Amino acid sequence: MKKGQPPPRTWVKKKNGRASPTGRPAASPFIPRISSQLKPILREIGVPEERPFRPDPFQVQALARLNEGDVVVAAPTGAGKTYIAVEAMADVLAKGGRAWYASPLKALSNAKYLEFGQRFGSPLVGLLTGDHKVNPDAPLIVGTTEILRNQLYDAMSQGVNLATNLVVMDEAHYLGDPERGVVWEEVIIYLPARVRLLLLSATIANAREIADWLAHIRKNRTATVITHQRPVPLHPLFLFPDGELDSLAKGRSLSPKVRHFLERHPRRGPGPGRSTPAYGRVIAALEKADLLPAIFFLKSRADCDQALSRCWGRSDAILADRREQRLNQLLERYPFLRSHAHLKYIRGPGLAAHHAGHMPHWKLLVENLMQAGLLKAIFSTSTVAAGVNFPARTVVLCQSDRYNGREFTDLTATELLQMTGRAGRRGMDRIGFALVVPGPFQNPFLIHALFQAEPDPVSSRIQINFSMTLNLLQSHPPEQIRNLLELSLAAFLQGRFSLDEETTAIRRKLDRLLQGGRCQGPEYASVLYQTRKRLEEEAIRLEQARPKTTWETALRLGLEAGRLFLCADGQIYCVLELKERRGKSGVVAAKVRPDLGLKKGRVRRKWHPLNKITSLLTTRLDIGPETKPQEAMKMIRDAAGLDPRVLNPRDLARRDSTGEMNGLEARLKTLKEEQDRLACRDCELASRCLDESEGGIAHLLGQLRRFEDAGPQSSHLLWTSFLRHFEFLKSEEFVNLAGELTPDGLWAARLRLDHPLLIAAGIRSGAWPEDNPALLASAVAPFVVDKEIESEEAARPLPPELLGAWFKLESAVEPTVQRLKAAGFGTPKLNLRAALAVYSWARLGLWEEAVRLYGLDPGDMAMLVFRAADNLRQMAALADTHPRLAATARTAVGLILKEPVLVPL
């Protein structure tokens, strides 16, 4: 099953309606027509009159308030939030200042760069997305939020001010995004108060709460400007199975006609003619009512692509000619798209699919045609509703749930708002429409309720990671970092509610019990306790494993031809050869006795499994493969008169310089050093902290952790998480005992990646392929794939060159992976299919072959390349400490960022 394709659903089939002779409900013929009650609404369709532009009151208000402090603007999609940003930036530039426009997506940043270049002139506008770096010293910079965050890290570490007077954060609802919200929150926390901040969003329900938080942490006057008025009014529609279009609602209630239909025909599982909506019929109904162009939101990529082949019809000749002219212009710019399999649907009925599985420039082509009004319909997944810019007259909702990557969940008010925000084109439509199509996975009652609901409030998504910890330590001592974490949205929201009484009581008891110790509060004590416990438990496990490991090492080193050993039967034997039987290791040996004889010309022998050997003896006879049987027999007979001593396995194991025993001893030594570095070593309370009896410190720490884990995010949890990362970085010697970054920590702080410690482990050991750019890009790829790749096609064996490089890197990284796991930190599942695909792309430049090897959609392969390039750029930033690796990384970026992945702007 491919990424982006949800699993098959299950359903319950219900009997209802009049049965046909085949046992199925009789179906009415589909005849597109318009309800008489709807006709007055449809008369509103048309292009609004051209009028001189006059800013709306909320736009004027936002600009006025921005002169006094920070501003949070919440306004529907298309209401004109960008106008506020443009005017604010124009004012800053006119005064000789500088501005930063941050957006969540590279594609959106690219579009805004071109738009602002036309508005202000190209010399005044720069672009920073990682993939593109254009005019970086311009007074107006457009870029991704991650780039802005990294610039703030650099400014803090160098003790300088960020060179900007205004920061605009577009699509500010990303503050609540589970994966990327942490970056937005970091920017807001780190941004100097002197820099004006403008947040723009269509879906922040708690805008005033966010403004209160900004005022609290930045100490600036902060205004909230909210408008709920859509620039193009929205009218919800319902399509009956027989082809009749009618309104979904009457006033604020569900239409009685729709309600009556739904009560008579409740939702059923898929069956003949019901499992897949008849998209061609829906388009025919929309076309009859003049409701095109439309965006269909479907549940999966596969549904979007398959929908194209289930439609029919042709556009009128004039529209087809205009579309062909524009399409040819775009194909001149992106010639690698000329062979795209979906071009026939654009040229024929004027349809297209748009989702994350398509290449970036295919999506740009589709968006361009849609914005120009040259397509009838687009089939898209709901996940791209927030972050695209191709409005239509109508959006079509075919189900009331969505697949979130793990399961099907009901749509939320925010998700519905993002989708329906595309309905109605400002300047092109006087009214927009949202069409609900009944089906087995459609709940019109839920959709209607969501139309009346407020969007979801934005909550904090901040979480501590190693990159954040390293960068904060580069510019702040730990006690200042605690103050920074108390500025988080999580801490602010938590501060509005009183702590649970039981939790408060536990913290007070701990504060009292920890007096006189070296812990700086219960959170630090909790982290030290967990770290100390983990180190001690691992040391105990290794000590328990030492005898077995010692014995196995002694057997591996000492068990050779001629070695005498004691067997479980109490007899002494002499090894003749090592030999496996039925998958079990063992030896062929002769009993040491004075009457030993020959059998069939060979010394009498017997096979013994290794687990029957109880001791190795110091005596080793000079017996080898070339020794004649008579000579061997004589030596073994003579040995019967000896009194050999038992060999100490430890003496033998100490000779092992590279094996498992050596690794065990090295790890035990490291654990001892880590324990010695803990503050517990010189603390008078160290022994009392292990008291797990009721009311003891360890018992209370465990209770506190359980309560906090079950409760909402808070500054206490953030600080505890920071301390966990901090102590681990100490154990890995990226941080010294004084809490400062070591030389390794300083360069590791520049690895602003998902897994900086794993990348750093490879750098420390010199395991990255520093002389081969293609191999370096390939080796990076598995570290940027978080999800397991599933494919029916077996992966091709890795080329020897890549396999060797990977084994070297894996050996260097694996100890760090194990230590991270032992400490309770997540680690990625490294996928070699990603390495093979990038290797093929870097070496051969055959895009289709690379996509096939990856086993996912072209858009997924492009994302893999972009993310690998991001990681390589971080390596390239280490030119002062690792010049050869940095130079190779720069070359590797150029090898993989090429057409059709990246095209010049």
Side-chain angles (χ1 to χ4, degrees):
M1 187 183 303
K2 289 188 175 183
K3 180 181 177 184
Q5 173 66 44
R9 310 199 202 198
T10 58
W11 59 83
V12 178
K13 187 172 182 179
K14 298 179 180 179
K15 294 183 179 180
N16 75 99
R18 188 175 59 192
S20 66
T22 61
R24 297 191 299 269
S28 302
F30 185 90
I31 303 173
R33 63 192 189 282
I34 301 167
S35 164
S36 58
Q37 286 79 16
L38 181 61
K39 289 180 180 179
I41 301 294
L42 296 185
R43 292 193 193 103
E44 298 295 320
I45 292 176
V47 178
E49 298 178 8
E50 286 192 25
R51 296 178 181 176
F53 174 77
R54 293 182 61 184
D56 292 336
F58 86 94
Q59 296 170 321
V60 175
Q61 182 187 9
L63 289 170
R65 293 296 181 86
L66 196 59
N67 289 325
E68 303 168 358
D70 301 331
V71 176
V72 179
V73 177
T77 300
K81 294 183 293 295
T82 301
Y83 169 82
I84 301 171
V86 169
E87 292 302 309
M89 293 185 298
D91 183 59
V92 168
L93 295 180
K95 296 174 181 176
R98 303 175 64 86
W100 229 105
Y101 186 97
S103 82
L105 305 173
K106 292 179 179 180
L108 186 56
S109 297
N110 294 340
K112 291 298 181 183
Y113 163 72
L114 297 174
E115 178 184 337
F116 296 158
Q118 294 175 349
R119 169 65 172 78
F120 298 108
S122 297
L124 295 181
V125 185
L127 176 66
L128 295 175
T129 63
D131 299 334
H132 293 289
K133 185 177 182 180
V134 183
N135 201 11
D137 297 321
L140 170 57
I141 294 296
V142 180
T144 56
T145 316
E146 284 80 2
I147 298 293
L148 176 56
R149 189 273 313 271
N150 292 344
Q151 286 193 353
L152 284 167
Y153 275 153
D154 292 336
M156 289 190 298
S157 65
Q158 297 164 16
V160 299
N161 288 324
L162 183 71
T164 190
N165 305 94
L166 169 70
V167 165
V168 179
M169 299 187 76
D170 201 0
E171 305 289 344
H173 56 271
Y174 267 80
L175 183 63
D177 184 82
E179 295 182 0
R180 302 181 64 187
V182 57
V183 177
W184 291 72
E185 196 160 344
E186 282 189 273
V187 167
I188 293 171
I189 292 172
Y190 306 153
L191 192 68
R194 64 169 182 81
V195 180
R196 285 290 161 82
L197 182 59
L198 173 61
L199 299 184
L200 305 173
S201 179
T203 53
I204 292 186
N206 55 336
R208 290 188 174 86
E209 195 169 47
I210 299 300
D212 290 344
W213 169 56
L214 293 180
H216 173 70
I217 67 172
R218 290 170 54 78
K219 310 303 180 187
N220 289 340
R221 180 179 294 180
T222 306
T224 307
V225 178
I226 301 174
T227 180
H228 298 291
Q229 185 174 355
R230 287 175 53 105
V232 180
L234 178 71
H235 189 83
L237 302 174
F238 186 82
L239 179 64
F240 289 91
D242 62 1
E244 183 181 19
L245 273 172
D246 204 347
S247 296
L248 177 70
K250 186 174 183 180
R252 295 185 62 84
S253 301
L254 193 66
S255 162
K257 184 176 179 180
V258 173
R259 180 183 295 276
H260 180 66
F261 168 79
L262 295 175
E263 289 172 350
R264 291 186 58 195
H265 304 280
R267 288 189 292 166
R268 301 178 294 221
R274 298 200 309 271
S275 59
T276 302
Y279 302 116
R281 289 183 173 183
V282 178
I283 290 176
L286 293 174
E287 194 163 27
K288 181 175 182 62
D290 196 18
L291 294 176
L292 296 177
I295 301 172
F296 285 71
F297 285 113
L298 308 182
K299 74 177 187 299
S300 71
R301 302 176 184 182
D303 282 359
C304 294
D305 292 340
Q306 292 167 8
L308 295 173
S309 60
R310 295 181 178 139
C311 298
W312 61 87
R314 291 186 175 276
S315 300
D316 63 83
I318 296 177
L319 183 64
D321 287 344
R322 288 175 52 212
R323 182 168 59 240
E324 187 66 24
Q325 290 176 11
R326 184 59 184 143
L327 181 61
N328 288 333
Q329 292 173 0
L330 293 169
L331 292 177
E332 284 292 328
R333 189 173 180 183
Y334 311 133
F336 48 85
L337 296 178
R338 292 185 186 278
S339 59
H340 200 287
H342 289 185
L343 280 175
K344 60 186 177 184
Y345 300 114
I346 290 180
R347 287 191 163 114
L351 308 173
H354 183 290
H355 55 70
H358 286 297
M359 293 293 291
H361 292 87
W362 173 260
K363 291 188 288 185
L364 285 177
L365 179 146
V366 170
E367 291 169 22
N368 191 294
L369 292 172
M370 192 67 172
Q371 289 163 359
L374 299 175
L375 293 178
K376 275 188 177 182
I378 283 181
F379 297 98
S380 179
T381 53
S382 60
T383 53
V384 301
V388 295
N389 182 27
F390 49 80
R393 178 165 291 171
T394 306
V395 298
V396 182
L397 307 172
C398 295
Q399 66 276 329
S400 56
D401 60 359
R402 64 181 291 269
Y403 186 66
N404 63 11
R406 300 177 303 277
E407 59 184 349
F408 286 98
T409 61
D410 284 340
L411 288 175
T412 66
T414 296
E415 290 163 346
L416 183 66
L417 183 62
Q418 289 169 346
M419 289 188 280
T420 56
R422 307 296 158 193
R425 300 161 295 177
R426 186 167 189 169
M428 299 175 67
D429 291 310
R430 291 192 301 207
I431 186 170
F433 298 88
L435 175 65
V436 175
V437 178
F441 307 114
Q442 179 67 277
N443 183 350
F445 293 102
L446 173 64
I447 296 291
H448 175 258
L450 293 178
F451 273 124
Q452 316 298 321
E454 290 289 324
D456 305 313
V458 169
S459 59
S460 175
R461 296 296 183 174
I462 193 167
Q463 54 187 322
I464 308 299
N465 55 51
F466 285 110
S467 180
M468 180 195 298
T469 304
L470 286 165
N471 277 277
L472 288 177
L473 287 169
Q474 194 172 16
S475 53
H476 300 80
E479 57 271 18
Q480 288 185 9
I481 293 174
R482 181 168 193 167
N483 294 334
L484 273 178
L485 296 179
E486 289 176 352
L487 299 178
S488 69
L489 177 59
F492 176 75
L493 296 177
Q494 178 71 17
R496 294 193 161 196
F497 305 95
S498 60
L499 288 173
D500 178 85
E501 290 183 7
E502 195 166 2
T503 305
T504 303
I506 292 172
R507 290 177 55 80
R508 286 174 179 167
K509 289 180 184 178
L510 282 169
D511 282 332
R512 185 175 67 254
L513 291 173
L514 292 170
Q515 286 181 5
R518 299 192 62 187
C519 289
Q520 303 163 4
E523 294 85 10
Y524 194 38
S526 177
V527 170
L528 282 180
Y529 172 71
Q530 295 297 328
T531 303
R532 180 180 174 188
K533 192 174 179 181
R534 171 179 62 82
L535 294 175
E536 290 177 351
E537 288 176 351
E538 186 179 356
I540 290 171
R541 285 197 304 271
L542 292 177
E543 286 291 356
Q544 291 173 342
R546 187 202 290 269
K548 182 174 182 291
T549 304
T550 300
W551 178 240
E552 290 176 350
T553 303
L555 285 178
R556 176 168 53 84
L557 295 177
L559 206 58
E560 53 192 332
R563 173 72 64 187
L564 302 191
F565 66 89
L566 275 174
C567 193
D569 61 8
Q571 300 295 317
I572 297 177
Y573 289 85
C574 175
V575 177
L576 298 177
E577 62 175 314
L578 305 180
K579 191 171 185 178
E580 277 193 9
R581 280 190 180 177
R582 297 175 183 175
K584 293 182 66 175
S585 298
V587 295
V588 175
K591 184 184 293 186
V592 178
R593 60 184 188 183
D595 60 345
L596 178 69
L598 300 178
K599 183 179 181 180
K600 296 182 180 180
R602 295 195 312 169
V603 175
R604 286 183 176 273
R605 60 188 62 202
K606 182 181 179 181
W607 182 80
H608 299 270
L610 293 186
N611 61 1
K612 295 298 183 181
I613 299 174
T614 58
S615 300
L616 296 180
L617 303 180
T618 54
T619 301
R620 179 181 176 272
L621 306 180
D622 189 18
I623 294 177
E626 305 301 324
T627 305
K628 295 179 179 179
Q630 289 285 353
E631 296 175 2
M633 180 182 67
K634 184 177 184 310
M635 284 190 279
I636 295 172
R637 282 179 174 180
D638 292 343
L642 301 176
D643 185 18
R645 292 180 295 108
V646 172
L647 184 64
N648 188 337
R650 291 191 179 184
D651 294 337
L652 196 57
R654 287 193 189 101
R655 304 175 195 172
D656 182 27
S657 60
T658 60
E660 186 178 357
M661 190 65 199
N662 183 264
L664 183 145
E665 297 290 354
R667 182 57 184 158
L668 279 171
K669 181 181 177 182
T670 301
L671 289 173
K672 179 66 169 57
E673 292 171 350
E674 290 181 25
Q675 288 173 325
D676 289 343
R677 285 198 290 268
L678 292 178
C680 305
R681 181 185 180 189
D682 303 319
C683 180
E684 297 178 359
L685 303 179
S687 59
R688 290 169 55 191
C689 285
L690 297 178
D691 181 8
E692 296 190 0
S693 62
E694 188 170 353
I697 292 177
H699 177 257
L700 292 173
L701 289 173
Q703 279 190 316
L704 181 65
R705 184 166 185 174
R706 285 192 295 274
F707 283 135
E708 289 187 335
D709 285 348
Q713 181 73 293
S714 69
S715 60
H716 298 304
L717 284 179
L718 289 173
W719 177 239
T720 302
S721 180
F722 169 80
L723 290 173
R724 285 184 62 234
H725 288 76
F726 179 61
E727 290 299 324
F728 190 84
L729 289 170
K730 278 186 182 178
S731 70
E732 296 292 306
E733 299 185 0
F734 290 105
V735 176
N736 62 25
L737 293 178
E740 301 166 338
L741 295 186
T742 63
D744 279 2
L746 288 170
W747 59 256
R750 284 182 271 169
L751 298 174
R752 291 152 187 168
L753 311 165
D754 292 336
H755 308 292
L757 297 196
L758 300 186
I759 302 298
I763 294 175
R764 275 177 156 178
S765 60
W768 291 100
E770 296 186 347
D771 298 319
N772 190 318
L775 277 181
L776 181 59
S778 309
V780 162
F783 292 89
V784 304
V785 180
D786 293 328
K787 295 182 180 179
E788 183 177 358
I789 301 173
E790 300 177 358
S791 176
E792 297 177 359
E793 182 183 358
R796 178 189 297 177
L798 299 183
E801 183 183 32
L802 178 55
L803 190 62
W806 177 252
F807 281 151
K808 180 181 178 181
L809 180 61
E810 187 179 43
S811 299
V813 169
E814 183 60 22
T816 304
V817 170
Q818 295 306 320
R819 292 195 292 274
L820 284 165
K821 287 181 177 178
F825 294 106
T827 57
K829 185 170 184 178
L830 303 178
N831 189 284
L832 293 185
R833 187 184 287 273
L836 179 60
V838 172
Y839 183 75
S840 174
W841 174 233
R843 286 291 303 270
L844 304 177
L846 301 177
W847 179 249
E848 289 78 9
E849 174 67 4
V851 173
R852 188 187 68 79
L853 290 172
Y854 193 36
L856 297 182
D857 290 329
D860 296 312
M861 180 65 197
M863 182 55 66
L864 171 66
V865 170
F866 283 129
R867 294 190 66 186
D870 286 339
N871 278 246
L872 290 167
R873 289 191 197 95
Q874 305 300 312
M875 292 182 175
L878 306 182
D880 55 335
T881 57
H882 301 82
R884 193 164 71 170
L885 174 65
T888 304
R890 282 193 296 273
T891 304
V893 171
L895 278 181
I896 61 176
L897 281 187
K898 55 192 176 186
E899 288 188 5
V901 179
L902 187 67
V903 179
L905 291 171

